[in-house]
């Protein structure tokens, strides 16, 4: 560009700075008067006889500017990534603070989902998998309890349990020691730390790696088949898995449950099976309150395949199932249920004694396991008992029910819907 004697300001667009200035002759380098902020702008000499040199100078200048722009863009992207990571960390910290504030003064862990077993089972063949959608978010899940009525604790290591998140993540849960220290139906699979991150849909996936089929308990039926447990290679069914989902605050672990009967007298189980009431002798009333004037009964309900024990307002009622073959019994669990929607809350207990022993001494209370207190109408739970005397042959099973509150006993349907019998294959010589 020929500037001549004119000012360079006439050729500059407002607010812009040129990349370079091209001069026609060498003398113009000193004679052209430029604004002070343009003194450091590169100046190229234009020689009509050697145009290629000017072209190369301009291309080199543009490449330098392009490299500088790319470096600036990379620095901007890195800064944006750092800012985004800091923002996400801040959001997670704020969520932790919100969780703490919302649960301040409340339990630090809770049961977010509970589907109790109803006596229906599903069998997983070796190599098969079952998927159960969960109507609860994945955030803060700490553990999942499964109802496995016919498997031993050492076999549960072959059952792979995973949480499948909508984001595509798959988180494995590890089997924990049996609840209450005995190989009961409820078995726990826990995470090392509660799941973190945003709330999202999730599902539970179970894969069985054992050599023989694994039996899992099912819960209530659901009208939406999308929420029913789906097992590979099995016929479609409309029940959910019997399970309990536990959630906790960040950094909070579920407490370990101390073993019942732990110590030198505790005995492990090496065999277990689930027995329905129809496979047992019919129950009889064994102990009733002496002042009871209201309705009391014990009966087998064939249509429900359950044993009814109807308690009194004046105290607990105990029924007995006599002369059951229970060799080398380790412990017994009973699946209990309050059968009527308008029933009062009930307490349940199960016990076991050598056949005829209770008839001789009459002390049936000391042979009962811990009471399950305050089960609401249509509530489900399980009661456990470790025998206080060695059971090496035939035995009597004791079933006790009482009212949790002082009110009429109308519709007090205390139902025993099944029993899990755990045995030892080898009886210690001291107990023979």
């Amino acid at each position: 560009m020929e500037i001549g004697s004119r000012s360079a300001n006439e050729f500059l667009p407002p607010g812009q700075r040129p990349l370079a200035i091209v001069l026609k002759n060498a003398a113009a380098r000193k004679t052209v008067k430029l604004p002070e902020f343009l003194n450091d702008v590169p100046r190229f000499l234009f020689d009509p006889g050697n145009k290629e040199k000017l072209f190369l100078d301009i291309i080199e200048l543009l490449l330098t500017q392009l490299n500088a722009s790319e470096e600036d863009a990379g620095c901007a992207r890195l800064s944006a990534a750092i800012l985004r990571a800091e923002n996400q960390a801040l959001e997670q910290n704020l969520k932790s603070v919100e969780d703490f504030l919302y649960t301040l003064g409340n339990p630090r862990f809770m049961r977010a989902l509970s589907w109790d077993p109803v006596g229906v089972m599903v069998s997983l063949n070796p190599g098969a998998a079952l998927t159960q959608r969960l109507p609860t978010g994945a955030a803060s899940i700490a553990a999942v309890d499964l109802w496995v009525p016919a498997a031993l604790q050492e076999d549960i290591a072959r059952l792979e349990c995973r949480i499948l998140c909508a984001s595509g993540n798959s988180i494995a849960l590890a089997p924990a020691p049996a609840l209450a220290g005995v190989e009961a139906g409820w078995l726990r699979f826990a995470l090392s730390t509660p799941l973190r991150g945003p709330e999202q849909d999730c599902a539970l996936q179970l894969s069985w790696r054992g050599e023989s089929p694994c039996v899992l308990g099912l819960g209530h039926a659901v009208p939406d088949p999308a929420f029913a447990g789906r097992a590979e290679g099995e016929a479609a069914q409309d029940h959910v898995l019997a399970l309990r989902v536990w959630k906790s605050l960040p950094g909070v672990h579920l407490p370990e449950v101390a073993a019942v009967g732990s110590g030198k007298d505790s005995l492990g189980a090496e065999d277990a099976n689930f027995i329905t009431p129809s496979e047992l002798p019919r129950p009889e009333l064994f102990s009733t309150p002496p002042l009871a004037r209201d309705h009391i009964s014990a009966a087998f309900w064939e249509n429900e395949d359950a044993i009814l024990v109807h308690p009194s307002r004046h105290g607990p009622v105990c029924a007995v199932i006599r002369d059951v073959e229970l060799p080398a019994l380790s412990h017994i669990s009973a699946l209990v249920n309050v059968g009527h929607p308008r029933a009062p809350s009930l307490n349940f207990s199960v016990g076991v004694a050598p056949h005829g022993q209770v008839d001789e001494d009459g002390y049936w209370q000391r042979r009962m396991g811990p009471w399950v207190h305050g089960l609401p109408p249509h509530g489900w739970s399980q009661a456990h008992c470790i025998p206080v005397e060695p059971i090496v042959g035939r035995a009597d099973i004791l079933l006790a029910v009482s009212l949790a509150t002082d009110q009429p006993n109308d519709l007090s349907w205390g139902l025993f819907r099944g029993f899990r019998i755990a045995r030892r294959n080898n009886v210690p010589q001291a107990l023979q």
Side-chain angles (χ1 to χ4, degrees), residues 70-246:
E70 290 181 346
E71 289 180 0
D72 292 342
C75 292
R77 287 194 298 270
L78 178 60
S79 300
I82 294 175
L83 182 61
R84 183 167 55 252
E86 292 177 348
N87 183 60
Q88 291 177 346
L90 179 61
E91 288 182 352
Q92 289 186 353
N93 292 336
L94 289 176
K95 186 178 186 303
S96 300
V97 174
E98 289 178 354
D99 289 342
F100 172 76
L101 292 177
Y102 281 128
T103 57
L104 190 62
N106 293 327
R108 302 179 68 189
F109 53 87
M110 64 177 181
R111 189 187 300 176
L113 185 64
S114 181
W115 290 337
D116 291 312
V118 297
V120 183
M121 307 294 170
V122 63
S123 180
L124 275 184
N125 294 321
L130 183 145
T131 302
Q132 171 67 66
R133 291 179 60 186
L134 302 177
T136 185
S140 301
I141 290 181
V144 176
D145 298 340
L146 297 175
W147 175 258
V148 188
L152 299 177
Q153 180 69 20
E154 54 267 24
D155 295 333
I156 298 304
R158 304 172 187 174
L159 182 62
E160 180 180 332
C161 181
R162 308 186 73 87
I163 296 290
L164 305 181
C165 299
S167 60
N169 294 332
S170 176
I171 302 95
L173 294 88
L179 297 184
V182 297
E183 295 80 356
W186 286 116
L187 296 178
R188 176 164 295 170
F189 293 80
L191 293 166
S192 57
T193 58
L195 285 180
R196 302 184 63 183
E199 198 68 274
Q200 56 183 317
D201 293 341
C202 63
L204 184 70
Q205 185 181 68
L206 304 177
S207 302
W208 177 240
R209 305 296 180 228
E211 300 177 356
S212 57
C214 175
V215 178
L216 300 173
L218 296 179
H220 60 273
V222 287
D224 186 356
F227 279 95
R230 296 180 176 270
E232 296 179 357
E234 298 291 337
Q237 47 88 24
D238 56 357
H239 288 259
V240 298
L241 269 178
L243 54 80
R244 297 169 178 171
V245 177
W246 296 88

Side-chain angles (χ1 to χ4, degrees), residues 108-425:
R108 302 179 68 189
F109 53 87
M110 64 177 181
R111 189 187 300 176
L113 185 64
S114 181
W115 290 337
D116 291 312
V118 297
V120 183
M121 307 294 170
V122 63
S123 180
L124 275 184
N125 294 321
L130 183 145
T131 302
Q132 171 67 66
R133 291 179 60 186
L134 302 177
T136 185
S140 301
I141 290 181
V144 176
D145 298 340
L146 297 175
W147 175 258
V148 188
L152 299 177
Q153 180 69 20
E154 54 267 24
D155 295 333
I156 298 304
R158 304 172 187 174
L159 182 62
E160 180 180 332
C161 181
R162 308 186 73 87
I163 296 290
L164 305 181
C165 299
S167 60
N169 294 332
S170 176
I171 302 95
L173 294 88
L179 297 184
V182 297
E183 295 80 356
W186 286 116
L187 296 178
R188 176 164 295 170
F189 293 80
L191 293 166
S192 57
T193 58
L195 285 180
R196 302 184 63 183
E199 198 68 274
Q200 56 183 317
D201 293 341
C202 63
L204 184 70
Q205 185 181 68
L206 304 177
S207 302
W208 177 240
R209 305 296 180 228
E211 300 177 356
S212 57
C214 175
V215 178
L216 300 173
L218 296 179
H220 60 273
V222 287
D224 186 356
F227 279 95
R230 296 180 176 270
E232 296 179 357
E234 298 291 337
Q237 47 88 24
D238 56 357
H239 288 259
V240 298
L241 269 178
L243 54 80
R244 297 169 178 171
V245 177
W246 296 88
K247 289 191 175 186
S248 67
L249 297 182
V252 176
H253 299 275
L254 270 67
E256 295 183 359
V257 182
V260 175
S262 60
K264 64 179 182 179
D265 296 330
S266 61
L267 298 172
E270 300 179 3
D271 184 27
N273 65 303
F274 190 83
I275 298 177
T276 61
S278 59
E279 302 176 65
L280 296 172
R282 296 299 177 255
E284 307 171 13
L285 274 177
F286 180 75
S287 175
T288 61
L291 301 179
R293 297 294 182 268
D294 47 8
H295 175 72
I296 298 172
S297 64
F300 170 69
W301 284 6
E302 184 176 359
N303 292 339
E304 293 278 344
D305 195 4
I307 294 174
L308 165 73
V309 178
H310 198 291
S312 169
R313 183 177 184 178
H314 301 279
V317 170
C318 181
V320 61
I321 303 176
R322 299 184 185 276
D323 200 17
V324 182
E325 186 68 29
L326 299 176
L329 178 69
S330 170
H331 58 267
I332 183 172
S333 304
L335 181 61
V336 297
N337 165 230
V338 180
H340 200 280
R342 298 195 303 274
S345 297
L346 301 178
N347 308 319
F348 291 84
S349 181
V350 64
V352 64
H355 177 52
Q357 189 74 31
V358 178
D359 294 317
E360 295 177 2
D361 58 26
Y363 295 109
W364 63 273
Q365 292 89 344
R366 73 181 184 91
R367 297 179 172 92
M368 306 301 294
W371 283 82
V372 177
H373 293 283
L375 205 60
H378 272 180
W380 291 80
S381 186
Q382 62 175 331
H384 304 287
C385 176
I386 297 177
V388 296
E389 299 134 326
I391 306 296
V392 295
R394 311 194 73 83
D396 297 336
I397 301 175
L398 305 171
L399 314 175
V401 180
S402 66
L403 272 69
T405 56
D406 185 16
Q407 61 186 95
N409 71 334
D410 299 340
L411 308 177
S412 297
W413 296 357
L415 300 181
F416 292 79
R417 293 187 174 269
F419 303 90
R420 184 175 185 269
I421 308 299
R423 302 180 178 87
R424 301 176 304 275
N425 287 339

